[in-house]
Amino acid sequence: MNGKLVVGLAGMPGAGKSVVVNVAKAMGYGVVVMGDVVREEASKRGLEPSPENLGRIMLELREKEGASVIAKKCTKKIRDAKEQKVIVDGIRSLAEVEEFKKQFPKFALLAVHASPETRFKRLYHRQRSDDPKNWQIFHERDMRELSVGLGNAIAMAEHLIVNEDDLETVKRKAEEVLRKVEEKWMK
Amino acid sequence: MNGKLVVGLAGMPGAGKSVVVNVAKAMGYGVVVMGDVVREEASKRGLEPSPENLGRIMLELREKEGASVIAKKCTKKIRDAKEQKVIVDGIRSLAEVEEFKKQFPKFALLAVHASPETRFKRLYHRQRSDDPKNWQIFHERDMRELSVGLGNAIAMAEHLIVNEDDLETVKRKAEEVLRKVEEKWMK
């Protein structure tokens, strides 16, 4: 079978997507971050990459160019990657999943999950510039993510990693799942 | 603290909700099945409880009486249950979760997840009268469930059980999660 192996990764803010991405990177995956498309658009427009600006641009792009616009813009990045296996960070809807499946027959949808309480604590303690300062801002961001269909992508994931425990546990789970995906598609 | 402990259970068709319900039952939980409200409505109207009829009635009720109509109709059943802890099978949206939280401060949202492939195989081999005969019917039912917001409820679950392994594993996980919920609320 030809073509790259593409693993789509979905998860609510703070669920632990970046940990999974790092595990994949260490296993030789190329990384494409869907949010970068939105960040590039913000930069083109001379706007700061604040969560509000990025959220608004994302909704705008989808409205103008359809639900799979960001997936379409990522396709080239995936093809250009030098690696034969690529993880795509930040799947947000089933429309995106369909687009990737059409472009890359060897596609697997992976999701990572943690409770709202766990996610909030993580983000609050991380305090990256775009992390929420209180529960209300956190909740609004959750609702914005769900409004584009992220919940559906999580519900329909082929592999789901629960990330409530320590870092070593989630790393081990991520490696296991990626090995399974490779076994299915690489033979 | 007063009031019943209410555990809401969400999951796609075939994910394994009934296994979790049976574990809860064995632990002394009363059981309220949200779908029964819809089945009672079908019976009142003299309609067969086919998946199509039930799906249509569910959507109709929501449209006429709002997204939390079925939760509202379940509230009385929960209060009437003789048990002090009740599991509510078949949560389908965050609107329902909000309604239950308002009525029952000691509420926990639990979800059970399996991949579409695993769920299809399970339902296909179960062949209950309302189980899908092929992938397309299965997929349409999935999309109907997601259209009312089930994916959002799964994404926002406080506890998520991955049910890809054998029956004993999921039973053990369900018991662990229910004990955790009780520890939080019963002390």
Side-chain angles (χ1 to χ4, degrees):
Chain A
M1 222 179 157
N2 283 314
K4 293 194 175 188
L5 171 67
V6 178
V7 175
L9 178 61
M12 298 289 288
K17 292 190 290 299
S18 57
V19 180
V20 178
V21 167
N22 285 335
V23 169
K25 222 187 275 184
M27 290 170 72
Y29 283 73
V31 179
V32 170
V33 180
M34 293 187 76
D36 283 351
V37 168
V38 186
R39 270 181 283 271
E40 284 158 18
E41 186 68 26
S43 148
K44 242 193 256 174
R45 300 183 189 186
L47 292 171
E48 276 209 27
S50 67
E52 291 74 22
N53 282 341
L54 295 177
R56 202 162 32 76
I57 291 171
M58 174 186 78
L59 295 177
E60 237 182 81
L61 283 174
R62 276 166 206 263
E63 205 162 305
K64 271 200 296 197
E65 302 184 44
S68 60
V69 52
I70 296 168
K72 280 181 182 143
K73 285 177 193 284
C74 285
T75 296
K76 194 183 172 308
K77 290 181 190 236
I78 297 169
R79 293 197 197 286
D80 288 351
K82 61 180 190 299
E83 295 87 355
Q84 272 308 301
K85 44 191 194 180
V86 175
I87 188 162
V88 182
D89 183 9
I91 298 267
R92 277 193 175 88
S93 72
L94 292 177
E96 292 172 346
V97 172
E98 288 316 310
E99 182 64 31
F100 285 129
K101 278 189 179 165
K102 215 165 59 185
Q103 303 290 338
F104 306 99
K106 293 198 263 182
F107 179 86
L109 180 59
L110 176 55
V112 55
H113 182 279
S115 72
E117 202 181 319
T118 301
R119 295 189 291 105
F120 177 71
K121 278 186 195 153
R122 262 180 214 151
L123 294 176
Y124 188 82
H125 289 113
R126 185 170 72 175
Q127 288 293 7
R128 225 159 57 178
S129 68
D130 60 341
D131 284 337
K133 304 292 176 281
N134 62 48
W135 181 268
Q136 200 202 324
I137 292 173
F138 167 75
H139 187 70
E140 281 166 9
R141 188 169 160 202
D142 271 6
M143 293 304 114
R144 201 160 55 219
E145 298 282 345
L146 292 177
S147 75
V148 293
L150 177 51
N152 300 352
I154 294 168
M156 296 294 280
E158 286 154 76
H159 301 274
L160 195 143
I161 296 169
V162 173
N163 179 17
E164 294 288 346
D165 305 306
D166 57 301
L167 195 61
E168 287 316 306
T169 305
V170 65
K171 279 182 178 172
R172 185 181 46 72
K173 285 183 185 175
E175 201 177 323
E176 264 174 35
V177 162
L178 290 169
R179 294 255 174 261
K180 254 189 221 169
V181 170
E182 292 179 17
E183 266 168 40
K184 178 175 175 188
W185 287 117
M186 291 295 199
K187 56 190 174 193
Chain B
M1 222 178 158
N2 283 314
K4 292 192 175 187
L5 171 66
V6 178
V7 175
L9 178 61
M12 298 291 285
K17 292 190 292 298
S18 57
V19 179
V20 178
V21 166
N22 285 334
V23 169
K25 222 188 272 182
M27 290 170 72
Y29 282 73
V31 179
V32 170
V33 180
M34 294 188 75
D36 283 351
V37 167
V38 186
R39 270 181 281 270
E40 284 158 18
E41 187 68 26
S43 149
K44 241 194 256 172
R45 298 183 188 186
L47 293 171
E48 276 209 30
S50 67
E52 290 74 24
N53 282 340
L54 295 177
R56 202 160 32 76
I57 291 170
M58 174 186 79
L59 295 177
E60 235 183 82
L61 283 174
R62 278 168 205 262
E63 205 162 303
K64 269 201 297 198
E65 303 183 43
S68 60
V69 52
I70 295 167
K72 279 182 182 143
K73 286 178 193 280
C74 284
T75 297
K76 193 181 173 308
K77 290 181 190 237
I78 298 169
R79 292 198 198 287
D80 287 351
K82 60 181 191 298
E83 295 88 354
Q84 272 307 300
K85 44 189 195 181
V86 175
I87 188 161
V88 182
D89 182 8
I91 298 266
R92 277 195 175 86
S93 73
L94 292 176
E96 291 173 345
V97 171
E98 289 314 311
E99 182 64 30
F100 285 128
K101 278 190 178 163
K102 216 165 59 186
Q103 302 290 338
F104 305 100
K106 294 198 264 183
F107 179 87
L109 180 60
L110 176 55
V112 56
H113 183 279
S115 72
E117 202 183 321
T118 302
R119 294 189 291 103
F120 177 71
K121 278 186 194 153
R122 262 181 216 151
L123 293 177
Y124 188 81
H125 288 115
R126 185 170 72 176
Q127 289 293 5
R128 223 160 58 178
S129 69
D130 60 341
D131 284 337
K133 306 290 174 281
N134 62 48
W135 181 269
Q136 200 201 325
I137 292 173
F138 167 75
H139 187 71
E140 281 167 9
R141 188 170 161 200
D142 271 7
M143 293 304 113
R144 204 160 53 220
E145 298 282 345
L146 292 178
S147 74
V148 293
L150 177 52
N152 300 352
I154 293 168
M156 297 293 280
E158 287 154 75
H159 302 275
L160 195 143
I161 295 168
V162 173
N163 179 19
E164 294 287 347
D165 305 306
D166 57 302
L167 196 61
E168 288 315 307
T169 305
V170 64
K171 280 183 178 172
R172 184 181 47 71
K173 285 182 183 175
E175 201 177 323
E176 264 174 36
V177 162
L178 290 169
R179 294 255 175 262
K180 255 191 220 167
V181 170
E182 292 179 18
E183 265 168 39
K184 177 174 173 188
W185 288 117
M186 291 296 201
K187 57 190 174 191

